[in-house]
Amino acid sequence: MKELYEIIIIGAGPAGLTAGLYGSRSNLRTLIIEKGLPGGQLLNTEIIEDYTGFEHVTGIELAQKMEAHARKFGVEIKTGEEVKSIRRSGDLFEVTTDESAYRAITIVATAGGTAQKLGVVGEEEFAGRGVSYCAVCDGAFFNGQVITVVGGGDAAVEEANYLTRFGSKVYLVHRRNEFRAQKILQDQLFQNPKIEVIWDTVVEEIKGDREVDRVLFKNLKTGDTREHPTQGVFIFIGFKPNTYFLDDHPAHDESGHLITNDRMETNVPGLFAAGDLRAQLVRQITNAVGDATVAALAAEKYITHLKHKGLKE
Ligand code: NAP
């Protein structure tokens, strides 16, 4: 018989670890399944300075603190295990991973997202040989070299700033003539003498021999194309929500983010969502942990109600 949990949480980023904390603290049998290591995007972030109470903390340190805090209340965490499918069966969910299978009364999906790809020639070919989606992981490989960052959101602007500690020069190329990033991040960017912004421009191709040595730019206003020498291309053009394992196709918006009510419950009863894979205005650590708190406590109420009614397996 597959093991039965009251809550299974998919993903151990800030949302998953918070749901784990509240689930286990409510004395519910709670399991987190994480395909990598606990921390999620925190592990790709050097310094965090907008999580209340932590003026300056490394992503790794915050991840470790969150994991230790959740474990203190007894949550089980399985790492290096990837959820492949979640299917509803009676009142329960069947969770199949690449290693095992479990049953759960509720699911809290907190699997975040995967970096969007540009989809241009050379991107795949040069991945890991000049093309990167993680500044903290790969920035140091480009010491003294020319770096080009693509995007105009918080991630692109923040990471362009960060990458100036390695690059001799950092170009930030954006398809429009204004950023959607927060003003404070833009202010830091415009004060940084090592950064040059290239507006109204897209990368059409990434070129090189064994490694990247140039990209092909196209100016969307004039239609002009030109080659731009660069060794590093860092792409930050958003995230695609990780919902591929959900067999029930819950309601979602046009970009695939799950739609929930104010209890963080999707239109599939017992399936809750929190953090970056949920449709919402902002995607910050603070609101991810807030969503996850609501999701875990709402799951607890759902479980109590279902047990009272009589659970159908
Ligand atoms: P995002 O906010 O969705 O921004 C994506 C950027 O990439 C936009 O500027 C977009 O341009 C551009 N873009 C999208 N597709 C493109 C394409 N095919 N070619 C060229 N450019 C393209 O994504 P994000 O910056 O990764 O952030 C994701 C979420 O995490 C956001 O909610 C963000 O607030 C949050 N976040 C917060 C922080 C922080 O607070 N410090 C740091 C990182 C991320 P347009 O503007 O023209 O659409």
Side-chain angles (χ1 to χ4, degrees):
M1 196 60 161
K2 292 168 205 157
E3 275 194 274
L4 176 64
Y5 287 87
E6 286 160 306
I7 306 183
I8 291 187
I9 297 157
I10 320 300
L17 292 168
T18 303
L21 183 158
Y22 276 95
S24 50
R25 193 166 177 268
S26 302
N27 255 340
L28 296 170
R29 189 155 189 238
T30 306
L31 170 68
I32 302 178
I33 306 174
E34 161 59 56
K35 71 176 172 186
L37 290 170
Q41 279 189 69
L42 292 180
L43 303 181
N44 301 333
T45 308
E46 200 209 16
I47 300 292
I48 288 149
E49 49 181 35
D50 56 357
Y51 186 53
T52 322
F54 290 80
E55 282 175 42
H56 189 89
V57 62
T58 67
I60 291 175
E61 195 185 345
L62 187 58
Q64 287 168 345
K65 280 184 189 294
M66 286 185 173
E67 180 190 351
H69 196 175
R71 284 193 191 275
K72 187 182 147 198
F73 292 107
V75 69
E76 269 181 70
I77 306 179
K78 294 197 187 278
T79 54
E81 189 168 333
E82 183 173 359
V83 173
K84 294 291 186 187
S85 99
I86 297 180
R87 200 171 58 80
R88 215 162 197 285
S89 160
D91 282 335
L92 299 182
F93 291 93
E94 307 241 358
V95 179
T96 308
T97 72
D98 51 2
E99 288 182 20
S100 191
Y102 311 90
R103 294 177 307 148
I105 303 175
T106 60
I107 299 289
V108 182
T110 58
T114 307
Q116 289 272 21
K117 306 284 184 295
L118 275 175
V120 298
V121 174
E123 184 178 19
E124 224 176 282
E125 181 188 348
F126 292 110
R129 291 187 293 128
V131 173
S132 170
Y133 304 87
C134 176
V136 174
C137 320
D138 299 328
F141 295 126
F142 300 93
N143 223 348
Q145 300 186 329
V146 175
I147 295 174
T148 302
V149 175
V150 186
D154 286 341
V157 172
E158 189 167 75
E159 301 306 355
N161 271 318
Y162 170 74
L163 286 164
T164 57
R165 68 180 64 187
F166 306 109
S168 56
K169 172 102 188 175
V170 174
Y171 292 91
L172 176 53
V173 49
H174 181 38
R175 63 184 178 184
R176 292 190 293 133
N177 63 358
E178 60 177 355
F179 292 125
R180 68 168 66 204
Q182 297 166 56
K183 180 148 184 325
I184 185 170
L185 298 175
Q186 294 193 38
D187 290 347
Q188 287 165 9
L189 182 98
F190 291 126
Q191 279 163 21
N192 193 324
K194 275 176 122 183
I195 296 181
E196 185 175 329
V197 179
I198 303 175
W199 300 110
D200 301 310
T201 298
V202 291
V203 171
E204 286 224 309
E205 193 177 338
I206 300 167
K207 299 180 172 190
D209 184 11
R210 264 196 35 78
E211 295 183 338
V212 171
D213 59 24
R214 64 203 191 281
V215 292
L216 182 66
F217 279 159
K218 180 178 182 180
N219 183 304
L220 295 177
K221 286 225 162 119
T222 63
D224 293 346
T225 58
R226 70 176 168 98
E227 286 196 338
H228 163 83
T230 189
Q231 284 76 45
V233 182
F234 284 79
I235 300 166
F236 301 107
I237 58 165
F239 270 79
K240 197 168 161 310
N242 287 332
T243 56
Y244 57 88
F245 45 79
L246 295 171
D247 291 1
D248 275 335
H249 297 296
H252 53 78
D253 66 10
E254 70 287 350
S255 57
H257 293 86
L258 300 182
I259 295 170
T260 65
N261 59 19
D262 59 3
R263 301 161 76 93
M264 303 301 142
E265 193 172 17
T266 66
N267 64 331
V268 177
L271 173 63
F272 297 81
D276 284 2
L277 53 58
R278 190 173 90 79
Q280 60 189 319
L281 182 64
V282 294
R283 300 201 166 81
Q284 300 291 321
I285 307 168
T286 43
N287 68 295
V289 305
D291 289 358
T293 307
V294 175
L297 296 178
E300 191 263 331
K301 291 193 188 330
Y302 173 92
I303 292 162
T304 306
H305 174 73
L306 208 61
K307 284 186 175 168
H308 188 69
K309 216 177 69 174
L311 196 69
K312 286 197 284 299
E313 299 204 10

